[in-house]
Amino acid sequence: MVLGTSGAGRATDVEGRSEGLHIVLNGQLERIARLPREQCEAIAKYGARTTWPAGFAVYERRMAANGVFIVLRGQIVLRNFVGSSRSFVPWVATSGETFGSEGLQDKACYSSSARAEEESETLHLSSARFSALLREQPAIALSLIRQLVAERTALLDKLGQHATLTVEQRLIVALLRIGESRGCTAAETGGGGAAGPIFVPRRLLGELVGATRESISLVLGRLAAEGLIERDGNGLVIADIGRLEERLHAPAHGAGVRLGDASAPNGNGAHASSGIMPVASASIRRSR
């Protein structure tokens, strides 16, 4: 994708789509496309606008799915519940991003629950109206399809982050993602602190990182001691998003994870310490 610049450090592609923050496994920052406002307005002729109060459920997991949603403003949190007390957030859809695309399949159900984190406005495009958009506005429909593919790529990268990055790295990635969704990046603040306080609920942060409460508390304590974040009741405030980004890029944090061969013995005849546990062989007995 060929990139240019638009506004204060925000990249755009050759089709004019705005770019959101995307962080890959080696700690480097890239950009994923977001649908710009003008394209969302063009798609709006085929969809239905809805304003959701903060905390309101858009849909629940396993409900019958239909079409796709586009976020016009606000944040929609996708959440999966593990048991009765634990939950995991695979994605937070912000302005110009989509969610609920399971509905573009035949006889599909939603795989996550969707809830408005703050007052949000969405555009719902049913499967029938999506087909009409493809027929009548193929260029705009193609941009929407590219947006869906870009978000799928970001989800695959996030899966890789959970397998290779440390808790601290994943937490910083989540903080930068939330800060960018609120319109604040290091480029837009000249590499310094945020233009304004960015409040992050601790529960949402924990669900995004996918780590134990104890591990997250230890990392937050270190970041707070360095002045990168500030605790504020049940949440925290990003105090210096520029330094937070620099910490992710530091060699000790952004160089990635080196994986060794767990099957290769070391000098003592034991397996090398690489963070990979050898898989024990198992027999499968067919039941009669």
Side-chain angles (χ1 to χ4, degrees), residues 113-142:
S113 298
R115 191 174 300 270
E117 180 68 17
E118 58 192 42
E119 182 177 279
S120 304
E121 184 180 6
T122 64
L123 177 66
H124 180 241
L125 201 63
S126 68
S127 297
R129 299 303 292 165
F130 179 78
S131 298
L133 179 67
L134 281 172
R135 291 192 307 268
E136 301 170 11
Q137 299 286 344
I140 295 178
L142 183 59

Side-chain angles (χ1 to χ4, degrees), residues 5-26:
T5 58
S6 174
R10 187 177 297 276
T12 59
D13 67 9
V14 292
E15 295 180 347
R17 295 183 297 169
S18 62
E19 302 283 318
L21 182 67
H22 177 43
I23 305 172
V24 293
L25 296 182
N26 61 2

Side-chain angles (χ1 to χ4, degrees), residues 11-222:
T12 59
D13 67 9
V14 292
E15 295 180 347
R17 295 183 297 169
S18 62
E19 302 283 318
L21 182 67
H22 177 43
I23 305 172
V24 293
L25 296 182
N26 61 2
Q28 299 301 312
L29 298 182
E30 292 186 353
R31 301 277 169 175
I32 61 173
R34 282 179 173 170
L35 289 171
R37 188 74 185 185
E38 56 270 18
Q39 288 193 359
C40 291
E41 292 297 334
I43 297 173
K45 299 176 182 178
Y46 295 83
R49 292 175 182 263
T50 306
T51 300
W52 308 93
F56 200 88
V58 180
Y59 57 74
E60 299 291 343
R61 186 171 183 262
R62 300 195 182 281
M63 284 179 55
N66 182 21
V68 61
F69 290 84
I70 300 172
V71 180
L72 301 179
R73 62 178 175 87
Q75 292 183 328
I76 303 294
V77 175
L78 303 185
R79 183 174 280 112
N80 288 49
F81 291 93
V82 183
S84 59
S85 59
R86 294 185 58 194
S87 56
F88 172 70
V89 172
W91 188 253
V92 178
T94 62
S95 179
E97 297 178 346
T98 72
F99 66 100
S101 57
E102 303 98 313
L104 295 177
Q105 306 175 81
D106 291 332
K107 300 178 181 179
C109 294
Y110 292 116
S111 58
S112 301
S113 298
R115 191 174 300 270
E117 180 68 17
E118 58 192 42
E119 182 177 279
S120 304
E121 184 180 6
T122 64
L123 177 66
H124 180 241
L125 201 63
S126 68
S127 297
R129 299 303 292 165
F130 179 78
S131 298
L133 179 67
L134 281 172
R135 291 192 307 268
E136 301 170 11
Q137 299 286 344
I140 295 178
L142 183 59
S143 294
L144 177 56
I145 292 172
R146 287 174 174 165
Q147 177 67 31
L148 295 172
V149 174
E151 292 171 9
R152 181 180 183 273
T153 302
L155 280 171
L156 291 175
D157 280 339
K158 183 177 180 181
L159 179 63
Q161 292 170 7
H162 278 272
T164 59
L165 299 187
T166 65
V167 173
E168 178 173 315
Q169 289 171 321
R170 299 203 309 267
L171 191 144
I172 293 176
V173 166
L175 288 173
L176 291 175
R177 159 80 175 170
I178 294 173
E180 190 275 339
S181 70
R182 302 294 174 89
C184 179
T185 63
E188 293 167 343
T189 59
I198 303 175
F199 182 80
V200 183
R202 290 191 63 178
R203 179 190 175 189
L204 176 60
L205 184 62
E207 291 172 321
L208 281 167
V209 174
T212 63
R213 185 177 302 176
E214 293 77 10
S215 299
I216 293 176
S217 295
L218 287 173
V219 174
L220 291 179
R222 290 199 297 267

